[in-house]
Every structure is written in C-alpha cells, then in structure tokens.
Amino acid sequence: MFTSNSLGASIHAIACYAGAMDLRDPDVWTVVDAEIEGVDFSGSVLDGKVVEDCTFRECRFVGVTFTDCRFVTCSFEDCDLSGVNFSGVALHEVRFQGCKLRGVDFAAAFSLRLPEFKECMLDEAGFVGVTLPGLKLTRCSAREACFQDAKLQRAEFRGTELRGALFSGADLRKADLRDAKEYVIDPRVTRVEGVRASLPEAAAMLVAMGLRLDP
C-alpha cells in the first residue's frame, strides 16, 4: 500500500529517470522542470535540445558536445563538465555549484546571460571578450582562467583563487575582488575604477599605478 509520501517519492524517481532519458532521446527536443541525478552523459552529442528549469545533480558530462542547445534557469550541482563543448549554445541564468569546468571555453557559447558559479573548478576556463556584467564567481578556483577583453562591470570574484588569471583589456569597473586570492591586475591595461579589493593583492595594483607604499 502506498502512502502519500512513498507515492510522491516514486513519482519523483520516475520523473528523474524520464528526464534523463528525454535529454538523450533524439526524438525529444524539450525537457522542462526535470530533476536528473547521477546520470553519465559522457561522450554524448546533444543536438537541438531546449532545457528549462531543470536541475542536474552529480551527473557527468565529460567531453559532451552540445550543438544548438539552450539552457534556461537550470542548475548543475556537483557535476563534472570537464571538456564540455558549449559552442553555439545559449546559457541563460544557469547556476553551477560545486562543478568541475576546467578548460571550458564559455566564450564559444552563442549567448551567455547571468551565469553564476559557486565553489566550482574553473581553472584554465575561457571568458575572452565576453560581455557579462554582474558575473558571479564565489569561492571558486579560476587559476589561469582567461578574462582578456571581457566586459565584467560589477562582477563578483569573492573568495576566488585567481593565480595566473589574465585580465588585460578587461573592464572590471565596480567589480568585487574582496578576499580573492593571488590575482595580478595591471590597471594600466585594465579598467578598475570603483573596484573593491583586499590586501595584499590590492597593493600590487597601487604599485603598478606608480604609487609608493611605505611601511
């Protein structure tokens, strides 16, 4: 005999399974309001999918190629997206938490709108030339990530590791770099008006501007 709780759990499990199958089914183009957990999509080619209001938990997308896909208000939690190809993809208000995105080229996406990254691995990721005012990278690792020529006004990098990240030509006006670690930003080639920063990294920017800091 089903109780209301066990029936609800069964429906939830079926929805998760169906959502995962839908995403890979070549005859299904739209997946809406699905919760997909623990599915390995690695090596797949997902073409022409529209995915809205979906949550992916502990899924693997290693080496996946998304072609002409659109993700809207979706969440990826504790997923591995290493080597994902987002070329030609629209990512609108997508949230990544605890995900591996090493080396992913977000600049290749057709459209980026308000992505959010929290506690993610973004080492060597590419954001060259993107326009992402208000971008949020919170407590991430973005070592050797490339933000050259990006428009990142009011971006938030709080608590993010940025060793070796490149910012030349970027617009960081009013960005929040408090508690960000090991970044080197040259204000002679980067717009930094109104930036909020913490020591000791902030001191390096002042020195680059020709200011002398005495103990």
Side-chain angles (χ1 to χ4, degrees), residues 47-124:
D47 183 22
K49 307 297 182 182
V50 176
V51 186
E52 297 185 6
D53 301 318
C54 291
T55 299
F56 298 89
R57 295 191 182 94
E58 298 182 350
C59 293
R60 285 174 55 83
F61 294 87
V62 178
V64 168
T65 296
F66 294 98
T67 305
D68 296 325
C69 292
R70 180 176 179 182
F71 290 85
V72 180
T73 57
C74 292
S75 294
F76 293 83
E77 301 173 6
D78 300 311
C79 294
D80 189 348
L81 296 100
S82 302
V84 160
N85 184 352
F86 280 136
S87 180
V89 174
L91 297 170
H92 292 175
E93 299 180 50
V94 175
R95 178 175 175 268
F96 299 91
Q97 179 166 349
C99 294
K100 296 179 181 178
L101 294 144
R102 183 169 188 154
V104 173
D105 184 9
F106 290 94
F110 172 74
S111 177
L112 282 173
R113 186 182 304 164
L114 294 177
E116 182 176 345
F117 304 90
K118 184 176 181 180
E119 298 174 350
C120 289
M121 166 70 77
L122 286 156
D123 294 353
E124 302 174 13

Side-chain angles (χ1 to χ4, degrees), residues 24-194:
R24 292 181 287 190
D25 189 334
D27 296 321
V28 175
W29 303 104
T30 303
V31 181
V32 179
D33 198 23
E35 296 188 14
I36 301 167
E37 186 169 352
V39 177
D40 191 349
F41 298 97
S42 297
S44 302
V45 176
L46 301 176
D47 183 22
K49 307 297 182 182
V50 176
V51 186
E52 297 185 6
D53 301 318
C54 291
T55 299
F56 298 89
R57 295 191 182 94
E58 298 182 350
C59 293
R60 285 174 55 83
F61 294 87
V62 178
V64 168
T65 296
F66 294 98
T67 305
D68 296 325
C69 292
R70 180 176 179 182
F71 290 85
V72 180
T73 57
C74 292
S75 294
F76 293 83
E77 301 173 6
D78 300 311
C79 294
D80 189 348
L81 296 100
S82 302
V84 160
N85 184 352
F86 280 136
S87 180
V89 174
L91 297 170
H92 292 175
E93 299 180 50
V94 175
R95 178 175 175 268
F96 299 91
Q97 179 166 349
C99 294
K100 296 179 181 178
L101 294 144
R102 183 169 188 154
V104 173
D105 184 9
F106 290 94
F110 172 74
S111 177
L112 282 173
R113 186 182 304 164
L114 294 177
E116 182 176 345
F117 304 90
K118 184 176 181 180
E119 298 174 350
C120 289
M121 166 70 77
L122 286 156
D123 294 353
E124 302 174 13
F127 294 88
V128 178
V130 300
T131 299
L132 286 174
L135 172 68
K136 293 183 179 180
L137 275 72
T138 306
R139 297 191 300 278
C140 294
S141 176
R143 298 178 181 179
E144 300 183 24
C146 190
F147 300 94
Q148 290 178 308
D149 300 317
K151 294 177 175 60
L152 302 173
Q153 303 94 324
R154 303 181 307 283
E156 295 184 18
F157 294 91
R158 301 212 49 183
T160 292
E161 167 65 62
L162 292 164
R163 186 172 65 194
L166 301 176
F167 289 95
S168 62
D171 187 343
L172 293 173
R173 286 176 293 172
K174 297 185 179 180
D176 191 344
L177 286 157
R178 288 176 293 174
D179 302 318
K181 302 174 181 66
E182 298 191 57
Y183 60 87
V184 177
I185 296 174
D186 188 342
R188 294 169 297 186
V189 294
T190 307
R191 300 198 66 174
V192 294
E193 300 94 319

